[in-house]
Amino acid sequence: MAQLFLCIRADLVGSRKTGEASKLPETVEVLNQKASEDVLIPFTLRAGDELFAVYGNIQAGYRAFRCLHSQAKAAQLRFYAGLGIGGIESENRGEAERINGEAIWRASDALEELKREPNSEVLKAIAKARFHYNIYASNNHDLNLGLVTYLYFIMQRIEARTRQQTRAIQLLEEHPDWNNAQLYWTVSGTNESQVPAAYATANFSKLLARADYHFIREAEKNLIFLIEVLSEEHVE
C-alpha cells in the first residue's frame, strides 16, 4: 500500500485588514512544539499569512490540524484550513517551496473551495464559524463532502466545550501519569483538603463526560480509519 501523507494549507482570514499576521511566527513556533511527530515539513510561514505543513501519516496530520484549531482559538485568529491527503512525489520532499504531489494539490483545492461561495449545506455552516476547514482525500467530490461532514460534527462538539472542559482535556493529555483527582484539583484550583480524592475523581470524570471526550476520541479514530481506507485507491 502506498504511503498516505497529510498536507495542511491554512490562510489567515482578512490578514491585510486586521494586521494579525504579526502573530503568526509565534503561532508557528507553538505548533511545531506541539505537533512534531511524523512531520515531513514542519509548519512554515509562506507569503506572510499562509501556514504550510506536511505529515507522514494521517493520524499525525490530524493531530496537527487539531493543534492548529486550538492555537487559533487561543490566539483569536481566523483561518481557512485546507487538508489534503494522498501521495507525495519523491523529489524535493524536504523543501516547503518545492514539495509536490496529490496531498499538496488536494490541500490547495480544499483551501480554494473554502474561499468560494459554498455550494453545500455543510460548507455553508462551516463558513459561519471563525475557523473554516475542508478536507480532500480523493478526486471524488461526494466522498470529500462526506468526510468534511463527518469532521464538522466532530468539530461542533469540540467547539461546544467550556474553557474548563478544554483545560481538563489538555491536562489529561499532557500528564497521562496523573490520576483523576490530581487533574481535578489542578483544573479547579482546589486541593485535597477542599475536595476529597473520591469527589475529585468523580468530578473530573463528569468533566470528561460533559465534554464528550471518549465519544470524540472514538469518532476521530474512526474518521482516520475511514480516510485511510477511502483514500487508498486514489493514491498515485
Side-chain angles (χ1 to χ4, degrees), residues 27 47 72 77 86 105 112 115 155 181 183:
T27 300
L77 295 173
W105 306 331
E112 290 308 311
K115 297 179 181 180
M155 296 302 292
L183 291 164

Side-chain angles (χ1 to χ4, degrees), residues 7-228:
C7 174
I8 300 173
R9 284 195 61 194
D11 281 358
L12 193 62
V13 178
S15 59
R16 294 180 182 177
K17 296 179 181 179
T18 63
E20 290 182 334
S22 61
K23 298 180 181 179
L24 291 181
E26 181 180 354
T27 300
V28 166
E29 184 177 350
V30 173
L31 289 171
N32 286 333
Q33 289 173 353
K34 294 184 175 181
S36 59
E37 185 178 348
D38 292 319
V39 62
L40 184 62
I41 302 288
F43 276 98
T44 303
L45 183 58
R46 306 198 305 186
D49 62 356
E50 178 197 337
L51 302 184
F52 178 84
V54 182
Y55 286 81
N57 61 67
I58 297 171
Q59 185 173 352
Y62 179 80
R63 283 197 300 268
F65 164 73
R66 285 288 313 280
C67 285
L68 174 61
H69 172 259
S70 298
Q71 190 59 26
K73 187 174 182 179
Q76 296 186 320
L77 295 173
R78 300 176 64 206
F79 282 101
Y80 296 112
L83 309 184
I85 290 126
I88 293 290
E89 294 177 1
S90 57
E91 296 84 4
N92 308 313
R93 283 193 172 187
E95 301 179 44
E97 299 295 336
R98 300 179 65 191
I99 190 170
N100 219 339
E102 281 282 1
I104 314 300
W105 306 331
R106 288 172 178 167
S108 299
D109 290 342
L111 176 63
E112 290 308 311
E113 186 177 34
L114 286 173
K115 297 179 181 180
R116 299 194 296 266
E117 187 70 22
N119 59 4
S120 69
E121 294 303 313
V122 66
L123 290 177
K124 288 177 184 177
I126 291 171
K128 297 175 184 177
R130 289 184 57 83
F131 188 87
H132 313 278
Y133 49 88
N134 194 13
I135 182 170
Y136 274 32
S138 75
N139 297 324
N140 184 310
H141 179 266
D142 291 336
L143 189 154
N144 294 333
L145 192 60
L147 292 174
V148 77
T149 301
Y150 192 138
L151 180 59
Y152 171 75
F153 285 114
I154 290 174
M155 296 302 292
Q156 280 292 96
R157 294 203 176 204
I158 290 170
E159 290 173 352
R161 288 170 174 167
T162 66
R163 185 175 297 180
Q164 187 182 49
Q165 290 167 355
T166 300
R167 176 62 176 153
I169 291 166
Q170 180 184 358
L171 284 170
L172 175 65
E173 293 176 348
E174 289 177 353
H175 303 282
D177 54 324
W178 290 11
N179 61 44
N180 281 7
Q182 291 173 297
L183 291 164
Y184 182 76
W185 292 325
T186 301
V187 78
S188 64
T190 59
N191 55 48
E192 189 168 7
S193 64
Q194 296 169 300
V195 183
Y199 288 104
T201 299
N203 287 345
F204 192 80
S205 294
K206 289 177 184 177
L207 275 176
L208 295 182
R210 289 168 182 163
D212 292 320
Y213 176 69
H214 295 292
F215 177 90
I216 289 171
R217 284 198 68 184
E218 183 177 284
E220 290 177 321
K221 179 180 178 182
N222 292 335
L223 174 61
I224 291 167
F225 175 75
L226 277 174
I227 293 170
E228 289 173 344

